[in-house]
mmCIF file of all heavy atoms in Angstrom:
data_model
loop_
_atom_site.group_PDB
_atom_site.id
_atom_site.type_symbol
_atom_site.label_atom_id
_atom_site.label_comp_id
_atom_site.label_asym_id
_atom_site.label_seq_id
_atom_site.Cartn_x
_atom_site.Cartn_y
_atom_site.Cartn_z
ATOM 1 N N SER A 1282 -48.282 -20.430 -22.094
ATOM 2 C CA SER A 1282 -48.805 -21.818 -22.106
ATOM 3 C C SER A 1282 -50.304 -21.869 -21.752
ATOM 4 O O SER A 1282 -50.608 -21.528 -20.637
ATOM 5 C CB SER A 1282 -47.984 -22.654 -21.216
ATOM 6 O OG SER A 1282 -48.624 -23.902 -20.979
ATOM 7 N N PRO A 1283 -51.168 -22.254 -22.691
ATOM 8 C CA PRO A 1283 -52.567 -22.329 -22.375
ATOM 9 C C PRO A 1283 -52.836 -23.238 -21.180
ATOM 10 O O PRO A 1283 -53.701 -22.909 -20.330
ATOM 11 C CB PRO A 1283 -53.225 -22.879 -23.633
ATOM 12 C CG PRO A 1283 -52.229 -22.549 -24.703
ATOM 13 C CD PRO A 1283 -50.911 -22.597 -24.099
ATOM 14 N N SER A 1284 -52.176 -24.329 -21.028
ATOM 15 C CA SER A 1284 -52.410 -25.252 -19.957
ATOM 16 C C SER A 1284 -51.986 -24.669 -18.628
ATOM 17 O O SER A 1284 -52.689 -24.868 -17.581
ATOM 18 C CB SER A 1284 -51.772 -26.627 -20.120
ATOM 19 O OG SER A 1284 -50.333 -26.454 -20.248
ATOM 20 N N VAL A 1285 -50.861 -23.965 -18.561
ATOM 21 C CA VAL A 1285 -50.404 -23.379 -17.308
ATOM 22 C C VAL A 1285 -51.332 -22.242 -16.991
ATOM 23 O O VAL A 1285 -51.740 -22.072 -15.857
ATOM 24 C CB VAL A 1285 -48.945 -22.788 -17.429
ATOM 25 C CG1 VAL A 1285 -48.536 -21.950 -16.244
ATOM 26 C CG2 VAL A 1285 -47.984 -23.935 -17.627
ATOM 27 N N ARG A 1286 -51.748 -21.379 -17.943
ATOM 28 C CA ARG A 1286 -52.718 -20.309 -17.684
ATOM 29 C C ARG A 1286 -53.967 -20.854 -17.088
ATOM 30 O O ARG A 1286 -54.496 -20.362 -16.108
ATOM 31 C CB ARG A 1286 -53.101 -19.611 -18.972
ATOM 32 C CG ARG A 1286 -52.299 -18.326 -19.213
ATOM 33 C CD ARG A 1286 -52.889 -17.457 -20.321
ATOM 34 N NE ARG A 1286 -53.599 -18.133 -21.430
ATOM 35 C CZ ARG A 1286 -52.995 -18.457 -22.567
ATOM 36 N NH1 ARG A 1286 -51.660 -18.278 -22.769
ATOM 37 N NH2 ARG A 1286 -53.706 -19.012 -23.487
ATOM 38 N N HIS A 1287 -54.421 -21.962 -17.630
ATOM 39 C CA HIS A 1287 -55.718 -22.550 -17.168
ATOM 40 C C HIS A 1287 -55.583 -23.095 -15.719
ATOM 41 O O HIS A 1287 -56.440 -22.845 -14.878
ATOM 42 C CB HIS A 1287 -56.150 -23.665 -18.087
ATOM 43 C CG HIS A 1287 -57.405 -24.362 -17.705
ATOM 44 N ND1 HIS A 1287 -58.654 -23.739 -17.824
ATOM 45 C CD2 HIS A 1287 -57.678 -25.523 -17.090
ATOM 46 C CE1 HIS A 1287 -59.595 -24.538 -17.357
ATOM 47 N NE2 HIS A 1287 -58.993 -25.575 -16.893
ATOM 48 N N MET A 1288 -54.462 -23.795 -15.444
ATOM 49 C CA MET A 1288 -54.246 -24.215 -14.051
ATOM 50 C C MET A 1288 -54.197 -23.121 -13.034
ATOM 51 O O MET A 1288 -54.818 -23.260 -11.976
ATOM 52 C CB MET A 1288 -53.017 -25.042 -14.036
ATOM 53 C CG MET A 1288 -53.120 -26.493 -14.686
ATOM 54 S SD MET A 1288 -51.633 -27.510 -14.389
ATOM 55 C CE MET A 1288 -50.323 -26.601 -14.969
ATOM 56 N N ILE A 1289 -53.505 -22.088 -13.387
ATOM 57 C CA ILE A 1289 -53.395 -20.936 -12.490
ATOM 58 C C ILE A 1289 -54.774 -20.288 -12.306
ATOM 59 O O ILE A 1289 -55.170 -19.962 -11.230
ATOM 60 C CB ILE A 1289 -52.355 -19.913 -12.871
ATOM 61 C CG1 ILE A 1289 -50.943 -20.587 -12.941
ATOM 62 C CG2 ILE A 1289 -52.365 -18.649 -12.073
ATOM 63 C CD1 ILE A 1289 -49.882 -19.728 -13.682
ATOM 64 N N GLU A 1290 -55.430 -20.072 -13.476
ATOM 65 C CA GLU A 1290 -56.708 -19.453 -13.395
ATOM 66 C C GLU A 1290 -57.719 -20.253 -12.524
ATOM 67 O O GLU A 1290 -58.383 -19.623 -11.744
ATOM 68 C CB GLU A 1290 -57.269 -19.371 -14.820
ATOM 69 C CG GLU A 1290 -58.629 -18.666 -14.933
ATOM 70 C CD GLU A 1290 -59.193 -18.627 -16.338
ATOM 71 O OE1 GLU A 1290 -58.808 -19.470 -17.227
ATOM 72 O OE2 GLU A 1290 -59.979 -17.735 -16.585
ATOM 73 N N ARG A 1291 -57.778 -21.552 -12.712
ATOM 74 C CA ARG A 1291 -58.662 -22.407 -11.889
ATOM 75 C C ARG A 1291 -58.313 -22.307 -10.439
ATOM 76 O O ARG A 1291 -59.169 -22.197 -9.562
ATOM 77 C CB ARG A 1291 -58.561 -23.840 -12.338
ATOM 78 C CG ARG A 1291 -59.036 -24.130 -13.687
ATOM 79 C CD ARG A 1291 -60.560 -23.988 -14.112
ATOM 80 N NE ARG A 1291 -61.510 -23.847 -13.111
ATOM 81 C CZ ARG A 1291 -62.557 -23.018 -13.164
ATOM 82 N NH1 ARG A 1291 -62.758 -22.270 -14.204
ATOM 83 N NH2 ARG A 1291 -63.442 -22.931 -12.191
ATOM 84 N N THR A 1292 -57.106 -22.333 -10.111
ATOM 85 C CA THR A 1292 -56.583 -22.231 -8.698
ATOM 86 C C THR A 1292 -57.097 -20.919 -8.087
ATOM 87 O O THR A 1292 -57.579 -20.910 -7.001
ATOM 88 C CB THR A 1292 -55.047 -22.347 -8.628
ATOM 89 O OG1 THR A 1292 -54.667 -23.616 -9.148
ATOM 90 C CG2 THR A 1292 -54.563 -22.167 -7.206
ATOM 91 N N LEU A 1293 -56.873 -19.843 -8.835
ATOM 92 C CA LEU A 1293 -57.246 -18.495 -8.287
ATOM 93 C C LEU A 1293 -58.752 -18.365 -8.225
ATOM 94 O O LEU A 1293 -59.268 -17.826 -7.231
ATOM 95 C CB LEU A 1293 -56.601 -17.373 -9.117
ATOM 96 C CG LEU A 1293 -55.113 -17.370 -9.030
ATOM 97 C CD1 LEU A 1293 -54.576 -16.313 -10.107
ATOM 98 C CD2 LEU A 1293 -54.666 -16.935 -7.674
ATOM 99 N N LEU A 1294 -59.466 -18.800 -9.255
ATOM 100 C CA LEU A 1294 -60.940 -18.717 -9.247
ATOM 101 C C LEU A 1294 -61.548 -19.549 -8.081
ATOM 102 O O LEU A 1294 -62.453 -19.059 -7.422
ATOM 103 C CB LEU A 1294 -61.473 -19.225 -10.631
ATOM 104 C CG LEU A 1294 -61.416 -18.318 -11.786
ATOM 105 C CD1 LEU A 1294 -61.783 -19.057 -13.091
ATOM 106 C CD2 LEU A 1294 -62.088 -17.016 -11.678
ATOM 107 N N ASN A 1295 -61.012 -20.705 -7.893
ATOM 108 C CA ASN A 1295 -61.589 -21.509 -6.760
ATOM 109 C C ASN A 1295 -61.263 -20.884 -5.392
ATOM 110 O O ASN A 1295 -61.906 -21.217 -4.473
ATOM 111 C CB ASN A 1295 -60.877 -22.963 -6.817
ATOM 112 C CG ASN A 1295 -61.440 -23.712 -7.986
ATOM 113 O OD1 ASN A 1295 -62.528 -23.510 -8.521
ATOM 114 N ND2 ASN A 1295 -60.681 -24.735 -8.412
ATOM 115 N N ALA A 1296 -60.289 -19.992 -5.376
ATOM 116 C CA ALA A 1296 -59.960 -19.320 -4.095
ATOM 117 C C ALA A 1296 -60.766 -18.010 -3.975
ATOM 118 O O ALA A 1296 -60.647 -17.313 -2.991
ATOM 119 C CB ALA A 1296 -58.434 -19.044 -4.006
ATOM 120 N N GLY A 1297 -61.583 -17.707 -4.937
ATOM 121 C CA GLY A 1297 -62.484 -16.549 -4.917
ATOM 122 C C GLY A 1297 -61.994 -15.279 -5.492
ATOM 123 O O GLY A 1297 -62.620 -14.251 -5.454
ATOM 124 N N TYR A 1298 -60.840 -15.369 -6.283
ATOM 125 C CA TYR A 1298 -60.358 -14.220 -7.004
ATOM 126 C C TYR A 1298 -61.019 -14.050 -8.379
ATOM 127 O O TYR A 1298 -61.505 -15.061 -8.918
ATOM 128 C CB TYR A 1298 -58.844 -14.325 -7.289
ATOM 129 C CG TYR A 1298 -58.016 -14.315 -5.996
ATOM 130 C CD1 TYR A 1298 -57.477 -15.465 -5.381
ATOM 131 C CD2 TYR A 1298 -57.700 -13.087 -5.341
ATOM 132 C CE1 TYR A 1298 -56.743 -15.419 -4.281
ATOM 133 C CE2 TYR A 1298 -56.982 -13.044 -4.188
ATOM 134 C CZ TYR A 1298 -56.484 -14.233 -3.706
ATOM 135 O OH TYR A 1298 -55.750 -14.258 -2.494
ATOM 136 N N THR A 1299 -61.111 -12.891 -8.880
ATOM 137 C CA THR A 1299 -61.543 -12.628 -10.263
ATOM 138 C C THR A 1299 -60.246 -12.664 -11.094
ATOM 139 O O THR A 1299 -59.195 -12.055 -10.689
ATOM 140 C CB THR A 1299 -62.243 -11.258 -10.328
ATOM 141 O OG1 THR A 1299 -63.371 -11.263 -9.527
ATOM 142 C CG2 THR A 1299 -62.619 -10.995 -11.793
ATOM 143 N N VAL A 1300 -60.298 -13.288 -12.220
ATOM 144 C CA VAL A 1300 -59.075 -13.576 -12.995
ATOM 145 C C VAL A 1300 -59.225 -13.165 -14.453
ATOM 146 O O VAL A 1300 -60.238 -13.457 -15.033
ATOM 147 C CB VAL A 1300 -58.620 -15.006 -12.896
ATOM 148 C CG1 VAL A 1300 -57.452 -15.269 -13.787
ATOM 149 C CG2 VAL A 1300 -58.457 -15.487 -11.502
ATOM 150 N N ALA A 1301 -58.285 -12.554 -15.040
ATOM 151 C CA ALA A 1301 -58.162 -12.241 -16.419
ATOM 152 C C ALA A 1301 -56.878 -12.924 -16.830
ATOM 153 O O ALA A 1301 -55.906 -12.966 -16.072
ATOM 154 C CB ALA A 1301 -58.161 -10.763 -16.733
ATOM 155 N N THR A 1302 -56.775 -13.338 -18.114
ATOM 156 C CA THR A 1302 -55.537 -13.903 -18.618
ATOM 157 C C THR A 1302 -54.983 -13.298 -19.905
ATOM 158 O O THR A 1302 -55.750 -12.682 -20.640
ATOM 159 C CB THR A 1302 -55.716 -15.438 -18.866
ATOM 160 O OG1 THR A 1302 -56.765 -15.598 -19.939
ATOM 161 C CG2 THR A 1302 -56.215 -16.164 -17.626
ATOM 162 N N ALA A 1303 -53.716 -13.474 -20.054
ATOM 163 C CA ALA A 1303 -53.001 -12.888 -21.242
ATOM 164 C C ALA A 1303 -52.004 -13.892 -21.701
ATOM 165 O O ALA A 1303 -51.405 -14.612 -20.862
ATOM 166 C CB ALA A 1303 -52.450 -11.540 -20.954
ATOM 167 N N SER A 1304 -51.797 -13.949 -22.944
ATOM 168 C CA SER A 1304 -50.842 -15.007 -23.529
ATOM 169 C C SER A 1304 -49.436 -14.511 -23.687
ATOM 170 O O SER A 1304 -48.505 -15.278 -23.944
ATOM 171 C CB SER A 1304 -51.364 -15.420 -24.875
ATOM 172 O OG SER A 1304 -51.470 -14.356 -25.802
ATOM 173 N N ASP A 1305 -49.226 -13.220 -23.549
ATOM 174 C CA ASP A 1305 -47.829 -12.635 -23.527
ATOM 175 C C ASP A 1305 -47.824 -11.264 -22.952
ATOM 176 O O ASP A 1305 -48.901 -10.695 -22.623
ATOM 177 C CB ASP A 1305 -47.191 -12.661 -24.971
ATOM 178 C CG ASP A 1305 -48.013 -11.847 -25.942
ATOM 179 O OD1 ASP A 1305 -48.361 -10.705 -25.594
ATOM 180 O OD2 ASP A 1305 -48.203 -12.286 -27.048
ATOM 181 N N GLY A 1306 -46.677 -10.687 -22.748
ATOM 182 C CA GLY A 1306 -46.606 -9.331 -22.187
ATOM 183 C C GLY A 1306 -47.393 -8.268 -22.888
ATOM 184 O O GLY A 1306 -47.903 -7.337 -22.342
ATOM 185 N N ARG A 1307 -47.278 -8.290 -24.259
ATOM 186 C CA ARG A 1307 -48.054 -7.348 -25.064
ATOM 187 C C ARG A 1307 -49.497 -7.403 -24.775
ATOM 188 O O ARG A 1307 -50.237 -6.430 -24.545
ATOM 189 C CB ARG A 1307 -47.698 -7.474 -26.505
ATOM 190 C CG ARG A 1307 -48.257 -6.364 -27.367
ATOM 191 C CD ARG A 1307 -47.950 -6.510 -28.818
ATOM 192 N NE ARG A 1307 -46.533 -6.753 -29.085
ATOM 193 C CZ ARG A 1307 -46.122 -7.345 -30.163
ATOM 194 N NH1 ARG A 1307 -46.951 -7.764 -31.170
ATOM 195 N NH2 ARG A 1307 -44.850 -7.671 -30.404
ATOM 196 N N ASP A 1308 -50.074 -8.607 -24.870
ATOM 197 C CA ASP A 1308 -51.467 -8.833 -24.561
ATOM 198 C C ASP A 1308 -51.817 -8.387 -23.117
ATOM 199 O O ASP A 1308 -52.872 -7.827 -22.813
ATOM 200 C CB ASP A 1308 -51.801 -10.304 -24.757
ATOM 201 C CG ASP A 1308 -53.248 -10.665 -24.570
ATOM 202 O OD1 ASP A 1308 -54.144 -9.820 -24.727
ATOM 203 O OD2 ASP A 1308 -53.526 -11.823 -24.274
ATOM 204 N N ALA A 1309 -50.908 -8.657 -22.215
ATOM 205 C CA ALA A 1309 -51.074 -8.321 -20.814
ATOM 206 C C ALA A 1309 -51.230 -6.779 -20.592
ATOM 207 O O ALA A 1309 -52.037 -6.333 -19.785
ATOM 208 C CB ALA A 1309 -49.952 -8.835 -19.965
ATOM 209 N N LEU A 1310 -50.383 -5.999 -21.339
ATOM 210 C CA LEU A 1310 -50.558 -4.569 -21.209
ATOM 211 C C LEU A 1310 -51.920 -4.085 -21.612
ATOM 212 O O LEU A 1310 -52.482 -3.232 -20.963
ATOM 213 C CB LEU A 1310 -49.394 -3.832 -21.990
ATOM 214 C CG LEU A 1310 -48.072 -4.076 -21.475
ATOM 215 C CD1 LEU A 1310 -47.037 -3.520 -22.424
ATOM 216 C CD2 LEU A 1310 -47.893 -3.424 -20.105
ATOM 217 N N THR A 1311 -52.462 -4.655 -22.653
ATOM 218 C CA THR A 1311 -53.779 -4.308 -23.115
ATOM 219 C C THR A 1311 -54.826 -4.776 -22.101
ATOM 220 O O THR A 1311 -55.741 -3.976 -21.770
ATOM 221 C CB THR A 1311 -54.097 -4.965 -24.499
ATOM 222 O OG1 THR A 1311 -53.147 -4.493 -25.457
ATOM 223 C CG2 THR A 1311 -55.518 -4.647 -25.023
ATOM 224 N N GLN A 1312 -54.681 -5.999 -21.584
ATOM 225 C CA GLN A 1312 -55.610 -6.453 -20.614
ATOM 226 C C GLN A 1312 -55.604 -5.632 -19.336
ATOM 227 O O GLN A 1312 -56.665 -5.420 -18.655
ATOM 228 C CB GLN A 1312 -55.332 -7.991 -20.307
ATOM 229 C CG GLN A 1312 -55.508 -8.884 -21.380
ATOM 230 C CD GLN A 1312 -57.023 -9.192 -21.632
ATOM 231 O OE1 GLN A 1312 -57.831 -8.961 -20.793
ATOM 232 N NE2 GLN A 1312 -57.272 -9.688 -22.773
ATOM 233 N N ALA A 1313 -54.432 -5.302 -18.906
ATOM 234 C CA ALA A 1313 -54.287 -4.550 -17.656
ATOM 235 C C ALA A 1313 -55.050 -3.176 -17.706
ATOM 236 O O ALA A 1313 -55.573 -2.778 -16.712
ATOM 237 C CB ALA A 1313 -52.784 -4.292 -17.345
ATOM 238 N N MET A 1314 -54.981 -2.506 -18.919
ATOM 239 C CA MET A 1314 -55.743 -1.229 -18.968
ATOM 240 C C MET A 1314 -57.209 -1.401 -18.786
ATOM 241 O O MET A 1314 -57.893 -0.612 -18.180
ATOM 242 C CB MET A 1314 -55.396 -0.595 -20.269
ATOM 243 C CG MET A 1314 -53.928 -0.028 -20.354
ATOM 244 S SD MET A 1314 -53.513 1.095 -18.976
ATOM 245 C CE MET A 1314 -54.518 2.506 -19.284
ATOM 246 N N ALA A 1315 -57.774 -2.511 -19.323
ATOM 247 C CA ALA A 1315 -59.241 -2.765 -19.216
ATOM 248 C C ALA A 1315 -59.596 -3.360 -17.950
ATOM 249 O O ALA A 1315 -60.618 -2.987 -17.360
ATOM 250 C CB ALA A 1315 -59.643 -3.606 -20.383
ATOM 251 N N PHE A 1316 -58.781 -4.261 -17.399
ATOM 252 C CA PHE A 1316 -59.124 -5.076 -16.224
ATOM 253 C C PHE A 1316 -58.783 -4.393 -14.946
ATOM 254 O O PHE A 1316 -59.451 -4.605 -13.935
ATOM 255 C CB PHE A 1316 -58.405 -6.441 -16.367
ATOM 256 C CG PHE A 1316 -58.647 -7.449 -15.325
ATOM 257 C CD1 PHE A 1316 -60.004 -7.912 -15.185
ATOM 258 C CD2 PHE A 1316 -57.650 -7.888 -14.529
ATOM 259 C CE1 PHE A 1316 -60.242 -8.913 -14.208
ATOM 260 C CE2 PHE A 1316 -57.957 -8.915 -13.612
ATOM 261 C CZ PHE A 1316 -59.268 -9.456 -13.434
ATOM 262 N N ARG A 1317 -57.734 -3.603 -14.885
ATOM 263 C CA ARG A 1317 -57.244 -2.924 -13.710
ATOM 264 C C ARG A 1317 -56.994 -3.896 -12.594
ATOM 265 O O ARG A 1317 -57.695 -3.821 -11.570
ATOM 266 C CB ARG A 1317 -58.210 -1.798 -13.236
ATOM 267 C CG ARG A 1317 -58.470 -0.725 -14.260
ATOM 268 C CD ARG A 1317 -57.249 0.104 -14.388
ATOM 269 N NE ARG A 1317 -57.326 1.150 -15.458
ATOM 270 C CZ ARG A 1317 -57.585 2.425 -15.207
ATOM 271 N NH1 ARG A 1317 -57.683 2.836 -14.028
ATOM 272 N NH2 ARG A 1317 -57.686 3.268 -16.233
ATOM 273 N N PRO A 1318 -55.972 -4.770 -12.696
ATOM 274 C CA PRO A 1318 -55.770 -5.802 -11.688
ATOM 275 C C PRO A 1318 -55.225 -5.231 -10.382
ATOM 276 O O PRO A 1318 -54.635 -4.185 -10.326
ATOM 277 C CB PRO A 1318 -54.710 -6.704 -12.396
ATOM 278 C CG PRO A 1318 -53.950 -5.736 -13.186
ATOM 279 C CD PRO A 1318 -55.027 -4.744 -13.802
ATOM 280 N N ASP A 1319 -55.493 -6.031 -9.328
ATOM 281 C CA ASP A 1319 -54.908 -5.773 -8.043
ATOM 282 C C ASP A 1319 -53.555 -6.395 -7.823
ATOM 283 O O ASP A 1319 -52.781 -5.940 -7.004
ATOM 284 C CB ASP A 1319 -55.847 -6.341 -6.946
ATOM 285 C CG ASP A 1319 -57.229 -5.596 -6.873
ATOM 286 O OD1 ASP A 1319 -57.225 -4.303 -6.727
ATOM 287 O OD2 ASP A 1319 -58.261 -6.296 -7.089
ATOM 288 N N ALA A 1320 -53.251 -7.347 -8.749
ATOM 289 C CA ALA A 1320 -51.911 -7.937 -8.772
ATOM 290 C C ALA A 1320 -51.726 -8.618 -10.110
ATOM 291 O O ALA A 1320 -52.762 -8.967 -10.806
ATOM 292 C CB ALA A 1320 -51.713 -8.997 -7.607
ATOM 293 N N VAL A 1321 -50.497 -8.870 -10.507
ATOM 294 C CA VAL A 1321 -50.163 -9.542 -11.751
ATOM 295 C C VAL A 1321 -49.262 -10.737 -11.460
ATOM 296 O O VAL A 1321 -48.296 -10.570 -10.665
ATOM 297 C CB VAL A 1321 -49.482 -8.585 -12.771
ATOM 298 C CG1 VAL A 1321 -49.141 -9.375 -14.043
ATOM 299 C CG2 VAL A 1321 -50.359 -7.412 -13.078
ATOM 300 N N LEU A 1322 -49.549 -11.884 -12.090
ATOM 301 C CA LEU A 1322 -48.729 -13.035 -11.930
ATOM 302 C C LEU A 1322 -48.169 -13.330 -13.372
ATOM 303 O O LEU A 1322 -48.996 -13.643 -14.309
ATOM 304 C CB LEU A 1322 -49.556 -14.140 -11.405
ATOM 305 C CG LEU A 1322 -48.831 -15.445 -10.976
ATOM 306 C CD1 LEU A 1322 -47.811 -15.176 -9.865
ATOM 307 C CD2 LEU A 1322 -49.832 -16.482 -10.563
ATOM 308 N N THR A 1323 -46.892 -13.165 -13.607
ATOM 309 C CA THR A 1323 -46.419 -13.305 -14.983
ATOM 310 C C THR A 1323 -45.212 -14.293 -15.084
ATOM 311 O O THR A 1323 -44.426 -14.504 -14.223
ATOM 312 C CB THR A 1323 -45.913 -11.918 -15.529
ATOM 313 O OG1 THR A 1323 -45.619 -12.055 -16.906
ATOM 314 C CG2 THR A 1323 -44.775 -11.299 -14.763
ATOM 315 N N ASP A 1324 -45.312 -14.883 -16.334
ATOM 316 C CA ASP A 1324 -44.188 -15.798 -16.716
ATOM 317 C C ASP A 1324 -43.071 -14.848 -17.197
ATOM 318 O O ASP A 1324 -43.264 -13.671 -17.455
ATOM 319 C CB ASP A 1324 -44.638 -16.704 -17.838
ATOM 320 C CG ASP A 1324 -43.658 -17.700 -18.272
ATOM 321 O OD1 ASP A 1324 -42.691 -17.949 -17.526
ATOM 322 O OD2 ASP A 1324 -43.847 -18.329 -19.343
ATOM 323 N N GLN A 1325 -41.869 -15.376 -17.311
ATOM 324 C CA GLN A 1325 -40.781 -14.618 -17.930
ATOM 325 C C GLN A 1325 -40.637 -14.893 -19.393
ATOM 326 O O GLN A 1325 -40.598 -13.984 -20.172
ATOM 327 C CB GLN A 1325 -39.491 -14.933 -17.123
ATOM 328 C CG GLN A 1325 -38.195 -14.514 -17.839
ATOM 329 C CD GLN A 1325 -38.118 -13.017 -18.228
ATOM 330 O OE1 GLN A 1325 -38.881 -12.202 -17.747
ATOM 331 N NE2 GLN A 1325 -37.347 -12.682 -19.225
ATOM 332 N N ASN A 1326 -40.507 -16.096 -19.780
ATOM 333 C CA ASN A 1326 -40.099 -16.482 -21.141
ATOM 334 C C ASN A 1326 -41.433 -16.596 -22.001
ATOM 335 O O ASN A 1326 -42.093 -17.619 -21.950
ATOM 336 C CB ASN A 1326 -39.387 -17.815 -21.161
ATOM 337 C CG ASN A 1326 -38.088 -17.672 -20.387
ATOM 338 O OD1 ASN A 1326 -37.340 -16.722 -20.569
ATOM 339 N ND2 ASN A 1326 -37.837 -18.612 -19.529
ATOM 340 N N MET A 1327 -41.712 -15.530 -22.794
ATOM 341 C CA MET A 1327 -42.908 -15.477 -23.594
ATOM 342 C C MET A 1327 -42.577 -14.778 -24.841
ATOM 343 O O MET A 1327 -41.617 -13.909 -24.992
ATOM 344 C CB MET A 1327 -43.942 -14.683 -22.916
ATOM 345 C CG MET A 1327 -44.456 -15.295 -21.624
ATOM 346 S SD MET A 1327 -45.730 -14.248 -20.784
ATOM 347 C CE MET A 1327 -44.829 -12.789 -20.283
#
Side-chain angles (χ1 to χ4, degrees):
S1282 167
S1284 61
V1285 172
R1286 262 195 328 268
H1287 181 73
M1288 286 188 303
I1289 297 168
E1290 180 181 27
R1291 295 293 346 143
T1292 299
L1293 294 171
L1294 287 171
N1295 288 338
Y1298 294 102
T1299 299
V1300 180
T1302 63
S1304 59
D1305 61 45
R1307 189 180 310 158
D1308 183 25
L1310 291 171
T1311 301
Q1312 292 287 339
M1314 289 306 293
F1316 185 62
R1317 300 291 176 103
D1319 295 301
V1321 177
L1322 190 62
T1323 185
D1324 187 16
Q1325 165 53 21
N1326 300 311
M1327 299 178 289

